[in-house]
Amino acid sequence: MAVPIAVLDCDLLLYGRGHRTLDRFKLEDVTDEYLVSTYGFPRQFICYLVDLLGATLSRPTQRSRAISPETQILAALGFYTSGSFQTRMGDAIGISQASMSRCVANVTEALVERASQFIHFPKDEATVQTLKDDFYGLAGMPGVLGVVDCTHVAIKAPNAEDLSYVNRKGLHSLNCLMVCDSRGVLLSAETHWPGSLPDCAVLEQATLTSQFETELHKDGWLLGDSSFLLRTWLMTPLHIPEAPAEYRYNMAHSATHNIIERTFRTIRSRFRCLDGSKGTLQYSPEKSSHIILACCVLHNISLQHGLDVWSAPATGHMEQSEEEYEQMESVDSEACRVRQELLLTHFS
């Protein structure tokens, strides 16, 4: 007669039924120095994320014991700031590499859900004026609502033979369009564009363009480099400056626009999963786009908490601007008139 064999759930024997969290790691057991060196952020910041994302990350599972929000957040921060699922990272918080991957996915989606809460243009007139004043204080460029540019992030080749993600250097990437303020706070981030698209084509199709053409043109403009077309709401440098006023305009434009380049360097330096030094993001374009956006959200939250400062350039393989663009000539006569009026009013 066959004897039935019972497969025992050790967690069930020890803890009984119900969704219980497995506290693999205690924040209070380690120093701030350890947290910063291992996960990139101090205790106060991590506790804020636990409060912000805890309810979302505590969704019921079919497992008898779920991974706590605290552990999930530490796992994700470890990946974002180191760029790898190293065994030692999982060992430090007591989870497997597979669990690390699930934690990154959960935290990434929770952050993406809150992107509009932390990445947006100011709405009220007083804040908009403060935005302009802060930019003017940098190099004397008036009316600036933000500086815009694109940066490429390397990804693995999609499973499908899709050449749209192959950029001009022959690498697979996402071309990410971002706008920041004078402190490097991101005001807009579109991280999903295929790497084959040049910057001007990304902007042409971007939500940012429709926003500025229908909603956000508040007697001001963005600053973009010569890879973009001049628009009434987007001031670009003069291709061949001749008069002193034109030189002064270009110098003020360059000094102000440099903020976005420094912001890109800061983001890649803090979030090493984006800088290419650990290889490409090993995800589909959609998931890679979400990881980039999640890092953008964390960048803004870190600035809100006074944690971020301008940092040295990252040592990764991806440069801020992948393409060797040609000077774009505007055919928008109204945009040319707006720029000429700016030259005469403020730089003559």
Side-chain angles (χ1 to χ4, degrees):
M1 177 177 171
V3 178
I5 299 175
V7 178
L8 300 180
D9 184 334
C10 294
D11 283 347
L12 177 61
L13 288 175
L14 290 171
Y15 302 101
R17 292 284 181 190
H19 300 296
R20 309 174 69 91
T21 59
L22 182 54
D23 295 318
R24 297 166 166 83
F25 184 95
K26 296 288 188 182
L27 282 176
E28 58 269 23
D29 291 342
V30 296
T31 65
D32 265 351
E33 290 76 12
Y34 173 81
L35 291 173
V36 171
S37 66
T38 307
Y39 304 104
F41 294 95
R43 187 187 325 274
Q44 182 181 10
F45 183 88
I46 295 169
C47 289
Y48 173 82
L49 292 181
V50 172
D51 290 340
L52 177 70
L53 308 178
T56 301
L57 299 176
S58 298
R59 290 168 180 160
T61 73
Q62 297 303 311
R63 300 166 66 90
S64 60
R65 303 177 73 208
I67 301 175
S68 69
E70 182 179 283
T71 300
Q72 292 184 63
I73 288 168
L74 288 170
L77 291 179
F79 168 72
Y80 297 146
T81 58
S82 73
S84 66
F85 291 120
Q86 295 179 7
T87 302
R88 65 175 182 82
M89 185 69 70
D91 290 344
I93 51 180
I95 61 176
S96 66
Q97 182 171 317
S99 293
M100 280 277 295
S101 182
R102 287 193 296 271
C103 290
V104 170
N106 292 341
V107 173
T108 295
E109 292 310 306
L111 288 168
V112 167
E113 288 174 6
R114 290 160 177 79
S116 61
Q117 177 183 345
F118 294 99
I119 303 174
H120 56 81
F121 283 91
K123 300 290 186 183
D124 62 282
E125 292 184 9
T127 308
V128 170
Q129 187 58 51
T130 298
L131 183 64
K132 293 179 182 179
D133 292 343
D134 289 344
F135 272 118
Y136 186 78
L138 293 176
M141 180 69 77
V144 180
L145 299 170
V147 287
V148 60
D149 210 344
C150 289
T151 188
H152 285 251
V153 176
I155 63 171
K156 75 171 184 177
N159 291 330
E161 290 298 323
D162 190 347
L163 297 180
S164 67
Y165 291 95
V166 179
N167 61 38
R168 289 179 60 173
K169 291 186 177 180
L171 305 173
H172 291 83
S173 68
L174 290 169
N175 195 3
C176 305
L177 179 73
M178 300 187 194
V179 180
C180 75
D181 70 8
S182 63
R183 297 191 303 119
V185 175
L186 294 173
L187 306 175
S188 177
E190 299 185 35
T191 60
H192 62 284
W193 297 103
S196 66
L197 285 180
D199 294 358
C200 59
V202 169
L203 183 63
E204 186 68 32
Q205 302 175 50
T207 301
L208 179 69
T209 294
S210 60
Q211 282 181 318
F212 264 81
E213 291 183 345
T214 60
E215 304 170 21
L216 290 172
H217 192 182
K218 301 175 182 293
D219 298 319
W221 34 72
L222 301 177
L223 297 187
D225 63 22
S226 297
S227 64
F228 300 116
L229 283 170
L230 178 71
R231 301 168 184 258
T232 56
W233 50 268
L234 177 64
M235 294 292 102
T236 60
L238 288 148
H239 180 26
I240 304 176
E242 296 177 349
E246 294 176 342
Y247 280 101
R248 286 192 287 269
Y249 166 85
N250 271 12
M251 289 177 64
H253 187 291
S254 176
T256 307
H257 187 265
N258 185 52
I259 294 294
I260 189 71
E261 297 170 3
R262 294 166 67 190
T263 299
F264 288 153
R265 291 196 297 267
T266 295
I267 291 172
R268 288 198 303 273
S269 179
R270 165 154 278 167
F271 302 106
R272 303 304 293 272
C273 68
L274 307 181
D275 78 351
S277 64
K278 301 290 185 179
T280 62
L281 284 175
Q282 296 297 301
Y283 296 92
S284 67
E286 180 181 9
K287 289 184 178 179
S288 295
S289 169
H290 285 185
I291 288 173
I292 300 166
L293 185 55
C295 291
C296 290
V297 172
L298 289 173
H299 168 76
N300 275 10
I301 296 175
S302 70
L303 282 172
Q304 288 182 5
H305 284 73
L307 298 178
D308 219 341
V309 295
W310 299 122
S311 59
T315 57
H317 304 297
M318 296 304 292
E319 298 295 331
Q320 180 267 327
S321 181
E322 174 273 330
E323 58 187 81
E324 296 178 1
Y325 56 80
E326 297 178 358
Q327 296 284 341
M328 304 295 293
E329 295 294 338
S330 177
V331 294
D332 186 337
S333 59
E334 178 63 16
C336 291
R337 185 196 65 77
V338 171
R339 185 170 65 181
Q340 188 62 29
E341 183 178 332
L342 175 60
L343 282 163
L344 293 173
T345 304
H346 293 279
F347 295 97
S348 295

